[in-house]
Amino acid sequence: MAFRVKWFVIVLFLFSTLPLGAGAESASNVVRVGWHESPFNITDQFGRKTGYSYEYQRKIAAYTGWKYEYVEGSWPELFQMLKDGEIDLLGDVSYLEERAGSMLFTSLPMGSEAYYLFVAPDNIEISADDYSTLNGRKVGVTRESIQKTLFEDWARAHDVHVDLVEITVSETDALKMLRQGKLDAFIT
């Protein structure tokens, strides 16, 4: 009888130290991913996600076994959530030395991109041939983006002085602001 009790205690101990099962294991594989509409993250009219960043992340999930939980917001909101540890992964984050101290980057870049300064089609006062036509203009740029830093460097190098407006809205909303005349130009 003592042998049976001892065996029962050992079995009970072993079961109490094992993980709770598949549910607990899969919860550790859930990765919270920031989702913002951009040329790299697109939601179609049926609510399906697509785009370069989305496909890249799906490929990573195929290798890692991660399950994604998407968190929607503007890029600045999601970037702050990434810094605060509220999300785990965010595409379209350019490498900067000061960011590398607090977040992980892949050893190889996801891709490369070019940045453009857009003006409304009917705006004939700003000319690509004369940078000084930007002087005094309201130029929108996404808050905390690499585009802001790059544009500031470019503006200094070309003696251009603008009213740089850091925005926190989506790219679509920023382009609406451009069409409505709330911005003279927008960098994306």
Side-chain angles (χ1 to χ4, degrees):
M1 179 75 163
F3 177 74
R4 284 186 186 162
V5 171
K6 191 186 259 185
W7 181 250
F8 177 73
V9 170
I10 291 171
V11 170
L12 185 61
F13 174 76
L14 288 174
F15 277 109
S16 69
T17 60
L18 293 174
L20 294 175
E25 184 179 312
S26 64
S28 67
N29 288 337
V30 174
V31 176
R32 293 177 47 87
V33 180
W35 182 267
H36 60 99
E37 292 293 317
S38 76
F40 303 110
N41 294 319
I42 302 162
T43 306
D44 71 12
Q45 68 268 25
F46 303 107
R48 294 178 298 207
K49 293 179 178 352
T50 187
Y52 181 81
S53 185
Y54 175 78
E55 299 301 331
Y56 183 82
Q57 292 166 2
R58 299 304 310 161
K59 194 63 150 174
I60 292 170
Y63 287 103
T64 61
W66 293 344
K67 306 287 185 243
Y68 292 144
E69 176 184 314
Y70 289 97
V71 177
E72 296 188 18
S74 68
W75 190 90
E77 292 168 336
L78 293 167
F79 186 65
Q80 187 61 50
M81 291 174 78
L82 180 67
K83 292 192 304 186
D84 293 343
E86 297 171 21
I87 61 173
D88 306 304
L89 183 65
L90 180 62
D92 201 19
V93 178
S94 299
Y95 178 88
L96 295 174
E97 287 290 328
E98 60 266 20
R99 291 178 181 170
S102 62
M103 56 186 70
L104 297 175
F105 286 88
T106 60
S107 59
L108 297 172
M110 184 175 113
S112 63
E113 60 187 8
Y115 306 113
Y116 298 93
L117 185 129
F118 288 90
V119 297
D122 59 346
N123 184 334
I124 57 172
E125 296 173 2
I126 297 175
S127 169
D129 297 327
D130 182 1
Y131 300 150
S132 70
T133 59
L134 286 169
N135 285 329
R137 307 291 180 171
K138 273 190 183 172
V139 177
V141 65
T142 303
R143 186 184 74 198
E144 293 193 62
S145 67
I146 192 169
Q147 294 95 330
K148 176 183 182 251
T149 304
L150 293 173
F151 182 77
E152 288 172 331
D153 293 344
W154 178 88
R156 268 191 301 281
H158 293 90
D159 198 31
V160 172
H161 307 278
V162 301
D163 177 11
L164 198 58
V165 180
E166 291 188 75
I167 57 175
T168 59
V169 298
S170 69
E171 184 174 291
T172 302
D173 289 340
L175 292 172
K176 282 181 193 173
M177 292 172 68
L178 183 64
R179 285 191 302 277
Q180 295 167 346
K182 295 177 181 175
L183 294 173
D184 297 306
F186 175 63
I187 303 164
T188 187

